[in-house]
Amino acid sequence: MAQIKDVARQAGVSVASVSRVMAGHTGVSEATRQRVLDAVQALDYRPDLAARRLRSRRTDTIGLIVSDIRNPFFTEISRAVEDMAYQHRMRVILCNADEDPEKEALYLDLMRDENVSGVILSPTLPTLARFRASDYPFPVVLVDRCDRETAADAVVLDNVDSAYRLTAHLIERGHRRIVFIYGVTSATGRQRHEGYITAMATHGLETLAKGVPATVDAARTAATELVSGRPLPDALVASNGIILLGLTEALQEARLRFPQQIALAGFDNLPWTRLVEPGITVISQPTYDLGQAAIELLLQRIAHSAQSVRRVVMRGELIERGSSAKRGG
Amino acid sequence: MAQIKDVARQAGVSVASVSRVMAGHTGVSEATRQRVLDAVQALDYRPDLAARRLRSRRTDTIGLIVSDIRNPFFTEISRAVEDMAYQHRMRVILCNADEDPEKEALYLDLMRDENVSGVILSPTLPTLARFRASDYPFPVVLVDRCDRETAADAVVLDNVDSAYRLTAHLIERGHRRIVFIYGVTSATGRQRHEGYITAMATHGLETLAKGVPATVDAARTAATELVSGRPLPDALVASNGIILLGLTEALQEARLRFPQQIALAGFDNLPWTRLVEPGITVISQPTYDLGQAAIELLLQRIAHSAQSVRRVVMRGELIERGSSAKRGG
DNA sequence: AATTATTTTGTAAACGATTACAAATATGCC
DNA sequence: GGCATATTTGTAATCGTTTACAAAATAATT
């Protein structure tokens, strides 16, 4: 394996010049530059990253800690982050915290050890509650989950507003007893719950919400119980795609057709939501964009550590399908 | 930030002793061991990974190059790999090649630069065709995709057999004009196609297959065309979950009910396949196990580079649902 | 107790790059 | 051409560990 000194010898220059050329530095003559490049080519020289990182104290690596990689939402975020990162010649270390605050803490520690340039994090509620950007030696951009108080760069959906619009949409379609089933482990669940509450209150309706762990099973169980009571709710609304899946399964098991017997809606425009007849009304999140914005924000922060704290809020899009239609209609 | 020499001073020992304790080496007395540990604790010392990696020439990092992170199959693989890796105190660098051989090559190069301990790869067809383990300075374990000729550690499904069983199942249910729609970009598509061919031939039936790029859109388009001709096929079979999604969408758009008008089946037990009435018959892949087996194989290979080449084949499980039922029944 | 074998410890040389700093060379201006 | 300035180059220190090797301490054997 060729080393920098081999290249220097081959090119007839000093190692410093080689290093400068490799770094794309200015202040090196075109002549030497070309000779170095030729030598690099001839020897198939590739700088040793460990050495470079040790000396330069930079890793050009970013950590991505997602709360649940199985959730297609985060998959898409990861994809965006990864795409952009490699375009900026940065590496990505992916960590899946599985909605477990301990794992999250562990991974954040690991990021410190790795001396990453920055981290993109979708925190669980406990972590978010005590989150202080200054606790970490690297910049952190929150994605998807953030609350009013948190002073950190973040990229999020307009959760409250989207939930409001989704709820209002159902009310407009004539539904009254609307039950909101939301994930209690995440900030998004709570915020969407808030939007639901506001919408119901604004229309003078009684709120009927149920918090559950953000798993398909928990959602299914909760929904099964809900629809076994009487009177049947007019509509069920899920705070995210995982929960929506659970609700849909529950309705199917209970042999309840939507929207004839009960309406259904939720967050996340997953492929299957338009597949189950007559399609499920959802708030579609711009997932790829969210991820892209997150890493762009992070790169900016890395470049200008002193810039003011930013929050990017993206609008969710209501996609109306059959599941939310008027009962009588 | 405390360094090893600070710890050494604090503990009243040499840096070598500290290093030995940190590495969990034997040959250090219990007394010094304890003093070092105390000093480490007191100073909150964390070894600098860049320095360690430079000197030891080991990174304890593995590269995971998946062909399409949006495919839930690979998501689950990633999850397994990541879980196991961190349990073995190894890092994971995730790369998404997006079914693009060039990106794949680029990432494999990057793995070389990173000096990874090993790589888990699900190669595209071109990459697989010219794959020679000896071309890489690190061990590689193939996952999901591998062919007869390739001399490399691999973990795969029994593709041919599973496809055979799935096809035979449809034949048994009385279907005759069975069309197999498969992804031409991957080895799995071809192998499953092979199983289909064998099953059809064994039963004296004409084969009707169509290769498509492994995307939802391509599959939908192909299926739409297929079902617009007459006579209508008895059944459509998809070689993976992405294609199955496309087929299902096409049938829905064409307002064809299954199994009444046309039967449907495929690979990958995705959550939605049991959601669309009356459920889709699928071959379920043990995804998490596949990932787990892959990294275990890799770790073994890293530990014993000379061990003989291994192939782990896992059995797919036929999950029978309504979509494959007898037409008349 | 002397000798040998074994375990534990310390010193100092790597690992392969980056980067101050100084020296050398080129350029501009009168 | 001579001087000041700007640009380009090279030398050598440095990043923070690991580890070969030798030395010291301890244990085992006679």
Side-chain angles (χ1 to χ4, degrees):
Chain A
M1 201 61 179
Q3 303 188 28
I4 198 169
K5 60 175 176 234
D6 303 319
V7 178
R9 193 180 317 121
Q10 166 103 1
V13 301
S14 72
V15 292
S17 292
V18 179
S19 175
R20 283 189 267 256
V21 171
M22 294 307 285
H25 264 191
T26 174
V28 54
S29 76
E30 192 49 36
T32 44
R33 172 185 189 67
Q34 204 44 251
R35 296 170 61 188
V36 167
L37 255 28
D38 289 349
V40 164
Q41 183 113 48
L43 301 177
D44 187 29
Y45 167 68
R46 348 214 22 175
D48 184 290
L49 293 180
R52 168 183 294 192
R53 286 172 181 159
L54 170 58
R55 177 57 228 237
S56 70
R57 308 273 67 197
R58 308 183 319 117
T59 57
D60 290 342
T61 298
I62 77 155
L64 174 61
I65 308 179
V66 300
S67 17
D68 179 7
I69 189 66
R70 276 177 304 189
N71 187 336
F73 173 81
F74 290 113
T75 307
E76 196 66 14
I77 298 263
S78 308
R79 208 174 91 92
V81 168
E82 204 235 292
D83 269 11
M84 300 298 296
Y86 287 109
Q87 276 173 36
H88 287 83
R89 24 182 47 115
M90 302 209 112
R91 312 290 136 94
V92 178
I93 298 185
L94 175 73
C95 302
N96 173 36
D98 256 335
E99 301 284 7
D100 176 352
E102 282 190 35
K103 261 189 159 184
E104 221 164 35
L106 202 118
Y107 281 138
L108 279 165
D109 240 40
L110 188 135
M111 291 304 143
R112 180 145 86 94
D113 287 345
E114 287 286 347
N115 190 24
V116 295
S117 305
V119 164
I120 296 178
L121 170 70
S122 60
T124 58
L125 215 40
T127 301
L128 181 60
R130 72 172 77 93
F131 185 85
R132 298 222 327 266
S134 55
D135 287 349
Y136 305 93
F138 41 73
V140 177
V141 169
L142 302 180
V143 67
D144 179 52
R145 303 171 174 188
C146 183
D147 62 24
R148 265 187 280 274
E149 285 74 30
T150 313
D153 289 322
V155 178
V156 294
L157 194 79
D158 61 340
N159 287 309
V160 178
D161 292 354
S162 283
Y164 183 99
R165 297 203 310 275
L166 182 58
T167 309
H169 163 78
L170 287 165
I171 296 171
E172 204 174 290
R173 288 288 173 279
H175 304 292
R176 292 292 169 268
R177 298 179 45 81
I178 303 171
V179 185
F180 191 77
I181 294 104
Y182 65 103
V184 286
T185 52
S186 75
T188 49
R190 294 203 171 178
Q191 287 159 7
R192 291 167 191 175
H193 179 222
E194 194 181 315
Y196 158 81
I197 298 265
T198 309
M200 294 297 270
T202 304
H203 293 80
L205 296 173
E206 187 192 354
T207 58
L208 301 156
K210 183 154 182 54
V212 296
T215 66
V216 176
D217 288 345
R220 188 191 323 106
T221 308
T224 301
E225 190 171 337
L226 274 168
V227 299
S228 67
R230 287 296 174 274
L232 208 60
D234 291 341
L236 298 186
V237 183
S239 75
N240 71 36
I242 301 288
I243 291 174
L244 184 56
L245 179 57
L247 301 192
T248 313
E249 288 184 4
L251 293 191
Q252 183 181 337
E253 281 168 14
R255 303 255 140 244
L256 289 168
R257 301 226 127 253
F258 49 83
Q260 294 86 345
Q261 293 164 281
I262 190 167
L264 185 62
F267 276 74
D268 290 338
N269 184 24
L270 301 181
W272 59 266
T273 55
R274 69 176 211 183
L275 220 52
V276 293
E277 305 274 7
I280 301 177
T281 294
V282 291
I283 294 285
S284 169
Q285 300 198 57
T287 41
Y288 193 91
D289 287 355
L290 285 166
Q292 197 167 352
I295 184 160
E296 274 167 3
L297 199 50
L298 182 60
L299 292 172
Q300 283 173 27
R301 169 67 60 198
I302 291 168
H304 310 106
S305 64
Q307 82 180 5
S308 59
V309 174
R310 297 173 190 204
R311 180 150 319 182
V312 178
V313 179
M314 295 200 179
R315 184 178 163 90
E317 184 195 356
L318 179 67
I319 299 187
E320 185 180 349
R321 300 204 180 99
S323 74
S324 60
K326 198 171 294 189
R327 190 87 59 79
Chain B
M1 202 62 178
Q3 302 186 21
I4 197 170
K5 60 176 176 229
D6 303 320
V7 178
R9 193 180 317 121
Q10 166 102 1
V13 300
S14 73
V15 292
S17 292
V18 178
S19 176
R20 283 189 267 256
V21 171
M22 293 308 282
H25 264 194
T26 173
V28 53
S29 75
E30 193 49 37
T32 44
R33 171 182 190 70
Q34 205 45 250
R35 295 169 62 186
V36 167
L37 257 27
D38 289 350
V40 164
Q41 181 113 51
L43 301 177
D44 187 28
Y45 167 68
R46 352 221 10 179
D48 184 290
L49 292 181
R52 167 180 295 191
R53 286 171 182 160
L54 170 58
R55 176 58 229 235
S56 71
R57 307 275 67 198
R58 306 183 320 116
T59 57
D60 290 342
T61 298
I62 77 155
L64 173 61
I65 308 179
V66 300
S67 16
D68 180 7
I69 189 67
R70 278 178 303 191
N71 187 334
F73 173 80
F74 290 113
T75 307
E76 196 66 15
I77 297 263
S78 309
R79 206 174 93 90
V81 168
E82 204 235 295
D83 269 11
M84 299 298 297
Y86 288 109
Q87 276 172 36
H88 286 83
R89 25 182 45 113
M90 303 210 109
R91 311 289 133 97
V92 178
I93 299 185
L94 175 74
C95 302
N96 173 37
D98 256 334
E99 301 284 5
D100 177 351
E102 282 190 36
K103 260 189 160 183
E104 221 164 34
L106 202 118
Y107 281 138
L108 279 164
D109 241 39
L110 187 137
M111 291 303 143
R112 179 144 87 94
D113 288 345
E114 287 286 349
N115 190 24
V116 295
S117 305
V119 164
I120 296 177
L121 169 71
S122 61
T124 59
L125 215 39
T127 301
L128 180 60
R130 72 172 77 93
F131 186 85
R132 296 222 329 266
S134 55
D135 287 351
Y136 304 94
F138 41 73
V140 177
V141 169
L142 301 180
V143 67
D144 181 51
R145 302 169 175 191
C146 183
D147 62 23
R148 264 187 282 276
E149 285 75 30
T150 313
D153 289 321
V155 178
V156 294
L157 193 79
D158 61 339
N159 287 306
V160 178
D161 292 353
S162 284
Y164 183 98
R165 296 203 312 273
L166 182 58
T167 310
H169 163 79
L170 287 165
I171 296 171
E172 204 174 288
R173 289 287 173 280
H175 305 292
R176 290 294 170 265
R177 297 177 46 82
I178 303 170
V179 185
F180 191 77
I181 294 105
Y182 65 104
V184 287
T185 52
S186 74
T188 48
R190 294 201 169 181
Q191 286 160 6
R192 291 167 191 175
H193 180 220
E194 194 182 314
Y196 158 81
I197 298 263
T198 309
M200 294 298 271
T202 303
H203 294 81
L205 296 173
E206 187 190 356
T207 58
L208 302 155
K210 185 154 181 55
V212 297
T215 66
V216 177
D217 288 347
R220 190 192 321 106
T221 308
T224 301
E225 190 172 336
L226 273 168
V227 300
S228 67
R230 288 293 173 278
L232 207 63
D234 291 340
L236 298 185
V237 184
S239 76
N240 70 37
I242 302 287
I243 291 175
L244 184 55
L245 179 57
L247 301 192
T248 312
E249 287 184 5
L251 293 191
Q252 183 181 335
E253 282 167 15
R255 304 253 140 247
L256 287 168
R257 302 227 125 251
F258 50 82
Q260 294 86 346
Q261 293 162 280
I262 189 166
L264 184 62
F267 276 74
D268 289 338
N269 184 26
L270 300 180
W272 59 266
T273 55
R274 67 175 214 183
L275 218 53
V276 294
E277 305 273 3
I280 301 178
T281 295
V282 292
I283 293 286
S284 168
Q285 300 199 57
T287 42
Y288 193 90
D289 287 354
L290 284 167
Q292 197 167 352
I295 184 159
E296 273 166 5
L297 198 49
L298 182 60
L299 292 173
Q300 283 172 26
R301 171 65 63 199
I302 291 169
H304 311 106
S305 64
Q307 80 180 7
S308 58
V309 173
R310 296 172 191 208
R311 180 149 318 179
V312 178
V313 179
M314 294 198 181
R315 185 180 163 88
E317 185 195 354
L318 178 66
I319 300 187
E320 185 179 350
R321 301 203 180 100
S323 74
S324 61
K326 199 171 293 188
R327 189 88 60 80

